[in-house]
Structures are given as C-alpha cells and as structure tokens.
Amino acid sequence: MWTGAYRSAAPTDIVANGDRSAHNMHMYTTPEGEDGGARREDHGDGWSPAFLAPTREPGWCLVEEGYSRAREHEIESLFTVANGYIGTRGSLSEGGSMTNPATFVAGVFVSNPEPDSVPGLLSIPDWTDLQVFVERTRLSLEQGCLLGHRRILDLRQGLLWREWRHRDPVGRVTRLWSLRLASLGDRHLLLQTTIVTPENYAGRVQIEARLGPLHNGLPWTVPPSMDPGDSSDSIVMQTTTGRGETIALAIAGEAGVGHMAGPAHAVERLDESILERWTCEVPFGESLRMTRIVSVHSSRETERPSLAARRRLAEAREQGIPRVIRMHVERWNDRWGAAGLEILGDDEAQRALRFAAYHLISAANPEDERTSVGARALTGDSYKGHVFWDTEIYVLPFYTLTDPATARALLMYRYRTLPSARRKARRLGYDGALYAWESTDTGEETTPPVAVTPEGEVVRILTGEQEHHISADVAYAVWQYWQATGDEAFLVQAGAEMLIESARFWASRAHLESDGRHHIRRVIGPDEYHETVDDNAYTNVMAQWNLRRGVDVVRLLQSRWPQEWAAAAGRLLFRAEEPEAWLRTADSIETGFDPHTRLFEQFHGYFGLEEIDLPKQRPPAIDVWLGRERLQRSKPIKQADVVAISALLWDQFPREVHEANFRYYEPRTAHGSSLSPALHAMVAARLGDAPLAEAYFRQAAEIDLANNMGNAAGGVHIAALGGLWQAAVFGMAGMRLRESGLAFAPHVPATWRRFSFSIQWRGRRLRVTVGRDPSHIEVHLLADAPMEVELIDGPRAVIHPGTRFRAERDHRQWRAWEKTEA
Ligand code: IFM
C-alpha cells in the first residue's frame, strides 16, 4: 500500500451532503450516473465551452479535499502551474495565514546586496490575489462555515481547478469556482478565471483583485502613458533587475454576469499594490465571473518588453479566453502524446509518474537557450532557483527522449555559459571548462560561500569550490543527447566544444603521481557528507569517461566534418597531441576499483571509516543526528555516489560489479538528498530486485506527494521527479541506448501489470509496453525509418515503421520477436 498523501479519488462533483465542516470533507460522493466528473458550469453566456471540465479519470488528477493550514505551503508547490517561461505557485487567491504566493520568470535573477549572498530567482508581483465580498463580508476559508473545498491539479490539461462552497453567519451560501493556468500555447500568458455564484440569495457581490507588492526587493513602475486610469483598461508595469534585464507585465480583468452588461469597475493605486474592484448586484440564479489575464515579457526576448506585454495581452483578449484555454489544453495534449505514460495495475505509481511528467513538462522551455531548470523548477524559491547537476543527470533524459527540442535548449544554456566555466577553471588553475556548481543566468559560480545551521553556527559551503563532477555530468548529457537524437548540427556547433573543454579540464585536474596513477584530490563527490576527499570514485570514473568521449568526438569530427573541425580546432587552439594525452590520463586514473571484491572504494580511505548501522527506516536528517564532524569520519552516505556510476554507466561494467557495489553501498546510504531514491530504484530494477526497486520508486514518488523529506514547501524536487521517470524507463523497462537502436531488459514490479511509455529515438517515435504474466515487451515504431531493437540476453530485430513487435519470456528465456498486427 502506498502511504502517499494523494490516494486514488475520482474528481467528482463537489456536492455536499448537507452542511459539513472542514473535518469531514471526504464525505463527498460521486453523483450517480453523472458524466464528466466535475461540473461543467454553463454560465448562460456561452462563455464556458463544453470542453471546460476537469479531466475525469483519477489517474490524471491530484485532488486536495478540504483545507489544512499546515499543508498549504507544500500544496502550493505541488499545485504550481508553469510552462518553462513562467510559473505561479498554487496558492489560494484570497490568501490566508499560511499562504506564500509567488510567480517566477525563468532565468530572471536579482542580486542581493547583503555580503556573502547570491542571486535569487525574481518573484514578480502577485497577480492571483483576489478577495470576494458578499454584502461587504469577505469570503474566507478561515471564517464562516466551510461547506466544501476542493482543488484539483489536472495533470492532463495543465489546469488548476478549485471549487469552494461557503456559508456566512447569516446563512448565505456562495459557491466559488476557479481555474488557473500558465499557457503552454503561448508561454507569455497566465490566466485565472473565478466564478462566484450566490446559491440561495440574490445580492451585492464584489471582487477585489490586487497586483503587488510593488516593492518586493525591486520597484515596479507603471509607465506614465499606461496609467491605470488610461483607456486601454489594462495595467502595464515594469522593473529592471539590476542585472541588466527589464521585465514587464500587462494585466487586464474581464468581468460579467450572464449576458448582462459588465459590473462597475474601479482601479486604485495603493502604496504597495494596484487594486481593481468589480461590483454588481447578482440576481438569483446568476454568477459573477472575472478573468484575469497576464502577459509577461522580458528584455531577453524583445527590446521593448512593456510594449510586447501590452500587445500580447490585447491579442489574447481579442482571441477570446476560451480560445486561449483551448490552445493551452491542445499543447498539453501534444506533450502527453509524446510522453504517453500508463501503468496498469498500480494507480498510485501511474499518477506519481504522471505528476512527475507534469512538472517536467512545466519546467522547461524549448524556445529559450539562456535558461535552465533550477533545483525546484519554477515552483518555489529553495536553492534560489539555481541550476545544479540535477538538470543534466536527473532531468534532461526525460526531454532528450520525449522532447528533444527542450533538451537541446537546456544544453545550449550550458554552451552559452561555457565562457564562465572556462573562467572558473582558470581561476582555480586548470584548463578547459569547470561549470559552476550552482549556476544562474550568467553561468558564474553562485554557490553561497557560507550557510547558517539551525543551531546558528556559520559553516563554509565547499561545494562551489570542490564539487567538480558537474563538468563530466554536462558532458554525459551532451553525449546522451547526441546518441539519442543524432543531432549533427548540435554536436558540431556546440556539443563537441563542451566535450572537448570538459576533457581538457580533467586532463589538467588529474595529476600523475609517483605511483604512476593519475589522482584527483580534494573534491566533493555526489555524497556531500564527505568533503575534501581524494579520488572520489564517481568523479574519477566520470572524468575517465569524459576524457574518452573527448577523444571520440575529436575523431568523429575529424572524419565526418573535416571542414567544421578545422574551424573548431583553430578556434579552440587545439593541439594534435591532446587526444593521446587524454587517453593516457584516462587509462591511469585511480578509480578505487578492487577487482577481487569488485568494489569501488567511494574515495580514498572510505573503507577505513567508522561503520554505523543505519536503521532500516533511515532518519531523515542523519547529518544533524551524527553531527558534521562525526559524519566526515564515518561511512553513512548522503546519496547515490558509487551507485550513480551503475545508473549512468551500466554497460561499462559487468553485472557482478553493479551487484557488489549496490549491495555494499545501499545499506550505508541515508538518502539525505532527494536525488537518491530514484537512482536506487533504477539500479535495483536493473539488478532484477523488483521489490526493492518498487520500494525506492515509492520513496522517490513520495518526496513531493507525501512531503516525506519535509521540505516540499520550497518547491517540488525536480531531480527526484526526473529520476522517477528514469527509474521507470531505464529501470523497470530496462531501456538502454545503442548505436543502432534501443535495447531493453524489463523488470516490472509485481503490481505493474503493464507499463507503456512513448519516446523518440533519432527522429523516430516509438511506443513501448512492458508487462507481466507472461513477461513481455511490445515495441511499436510509429514513424520514420527502420531501427534495431534488442533484448538483453535475448533476440534482436530490425523493426519497421507502422509495425508492432512483441517478445515473451518463457522460463527465463526470451522468445524471438514476433511481428504482430499494428
Ligand atoms: O544537486 C543537489 C545535490 O546533489 C544535493 N543537494 C541538493 C542539490 C540540489 O538539488
């Protein structure tokens, strides 16, 4: 049984069985025979088209019933609507004692003047704030009687729905319905519609919507010609970040009651916000609806962001709100078509995987090569929006295999920040490129130099100086993208340079010592509990891999694109002897591998550290429990480190090596990082340990869905979500990239009857299904040219477009692929 907070629950109509308090919200029932689940409101004015209803199937919805103040912050993160350009947390529009609304624009950072502080993602004025008054009494979840309250994150359509019934002290019952989106049809648009329906009265209803604060770190100005009072009836404001960027937003509200003329509208400029007010007498049986539509632009895309924001807003209004919503829903439909995730037999796993994909789709923008995905995407301000290795190792494979244009844009961000990576390498005395451990808009190192512990102790943060594996991680993602897409233009114009510059970095970073081995000293590996270590296995194996791929790419360019290579070699001041030197270094890097035990030593001296038995249920903050000093001297590991070698370089080592290392390191891993469980799920699955794989899959899924690390308030853990997708595709389905096609080694958990997903490989679209009873796999090549599919320890076949291939396992043996009807 799952222990997640979100269990299967059909998003049924919000029908209260009489008046109930917030404590028994679960009493809602599914109306017999009702079609379409949640209400299809017809507001009598043709405004609400029939398609506007939450997706009915529970496998596509996250439903939050009732209201619990204590959970608000994490719900806001989970229920974020975003589109890779902009993201708005799922906070309640009317606020509340625990509300923390925020809207982030990807890649827009503000510097903090405090000493030792680093830039953080800008939060623009809150556009969602909205208060409803019935005869001057404000509707509040924390006052009056809550008759029903439900929020639905509609993963399928990318919509956040809300339904709320409220009774005030004099017995008036009001229903509020709302919908919020960050458009995938046009990434510059945000929209929120609210419909207020007096259920048992006719009366005066007022909506107040604020835009602010106007001085949240940065002053927002309303250009004089666009004053709130001007005839355009939209508000335009802008700010300049101090890092050279101007951000502008234009906002307009449209209100109506059925077919009647619009309600009275007033705008007021307050010190900290702009307040708009719509007031009208709502007749019995009618509703007051108000839609706020926002357009955001920055100087990154246009020289005149204010103008662009205003124009785009006007166009959207011209198109009409239903069309804006429809385009958004259609784009979501396309994205789901490309990712197509279905798990039969385990509804919770299916929804967790779709939740992961929802946030992955929401996190990145294929049209922007100057931004990347921060550790909490656009859902919260933890880690200040900084970009880590999380993107390349955990998140990027999802895009590479379902939406290559997005993967390319994210890799181009690393290409564009190469100059900063070169500067960092130079500053530390190395050649080539060393990427920032924490990166923002410029690619300069932005890891904070110090942190204050909960006990008030100021400690140095060494990751920015010592966590060097990031350069190999970027190289890994470049190569994986190249393998999966065959994107020659990218490789020649950008990818090769990143592979070469990172190889150069390792060639200078590894030192040949008197034992005849190259050593990489004073680093931090993925296991950040152990700082300033020598020869971290993950770092060294990845460095070795990076050096060899550097050689491969040089040879590839020399043979296939000699002209382009000549130009690149000149630009990079390439020396002919470099590849040989890289190979010599790679061959003699100390990886800490012992062929007798088949174990990698995580770093030099690790095996001699104090052994501490971790309880089966790992304490959440083992670093606090043991203290920093003791942790350094003992074996508990923060997160997958040697296990990450197995996850990334499976084919480089025999199965026995993966088995030995997993069995050794898994019990010693505290999973103090959200990145850890998913990689453990993937490796356990590849080892055929389905129960353990399933347990880790759940643990990874519950990081956000059940807030099992206690910090989802700061945003969803996008790396864990990317890792979850990888655990399913690379672990449970056992998919691996090959030169001529794809290989599979399915190990499906007992509860997953069938798991299907869609992917792209070198321009071809495929639908893959793996299942049990009997164990089987089906591959359906939907389009483009033939390709090879292989079963590990089994047959291989060339498959053709439009055909479906199926293989079954019989007594541990795979039978030959059979062509079945497509
Ligand atoms: O990149 C990770 C790191 O591996 C562990 N601490 C959190 C970072 C951001 O998610």
Side-chain angles (χ1 to χ4, degrees), residues 375-376 383 386 388-390 394 437 467 469 526 528 638-639 672-675 717 719:
R376 300 299 182 92
Y383 293 109
H386 293 182
F388 295 71
W389 71 313
D390 305 31
Y394 290 81
W437 177 245
E467 203 152 349
H469 60 83
E528 294 165 342
K638 183 176 184 182
Q639 66 196 88
S673 159
S674 64
L675 278 57
H717 300 73

Side-chain angles (χ1 to χ4, degrees), residues 1 21 82 98 109 221 419 508 560 624 674 798:
M1 264 309 269
S21 74
M98 291 299 280
F109 290 86
T221 56
S508 67
R560 281 178 62 183
V624 178
S674 64
V798 173

Side-chain angles (χ1 to χ4, degrees), residues 2 341-343 349-350 352-354 356-357 360 393-399 401 476 480 640 643 646-648 650 662 674-703 718-736 743-749 752 755-757 759 768 770:
W2 281 78
L341 297 162
E342 193 178 21
I343 299 175
Q350 172 175 265
L353 200 52
R354 288 176 177 167
L360 291 163
I393 296 300
Y394 290 81
V395 169
L396 206 101
F398 170 78
Y399 304 117
L401 287 152
Y476 181 89
Q480 188 186 51
V643 168
S646 292
L648 301 189
W650 184 269
F662 187 79
S674 64
L675 278 57
S676 196
L679 285 201
H680 280 75
M682 188 208 297
V683 175
R686 284 186 178 168
L687 290 171
D689 190 338
L692 193 59
E694 200 182 357
Y696 272 121
F697 185 90
R698 284 180 189 177
Q699 189 177 337
E702 290 178 358
I703 288 170
I718 201 71
L721 299 174
L724 202 69
W725 182 87
Q726 293 192 61
V729 171
F730 298 150
M732 314 310 193
M735 192 179 92
R736 299 183 219 160
F744 297 89
H747 289 289
V748 186
W752 297 21
F755 165 45
S756 303
F757 56 97
I759 44 156
V768 180
V770 290

Side-chain angles (χ1 to χ4, degrees), residues 234-253:
S234 61
I235 301 165
V236 184
M237 54 172 61
Q238 68 174 47
T239 193
T240 301
T241 63
R243 294 169 77 82
E245 273 194 284
T246 300
I247 314 297
L249 68 90
I251 184 165

Side-chain angles (χ1 to χ4, degrees), residues 322-339:
R323 186 165 153 71
V324 169
I325 300 174
R326 187 184 288 278
M327 279 166 54
H328 165 78
V329 170
E330 281 172 8
R331 283 298 298 128
W332 269 97
N333 202 37
D334 297 344
R335 286 298 289 116
W336 282 118

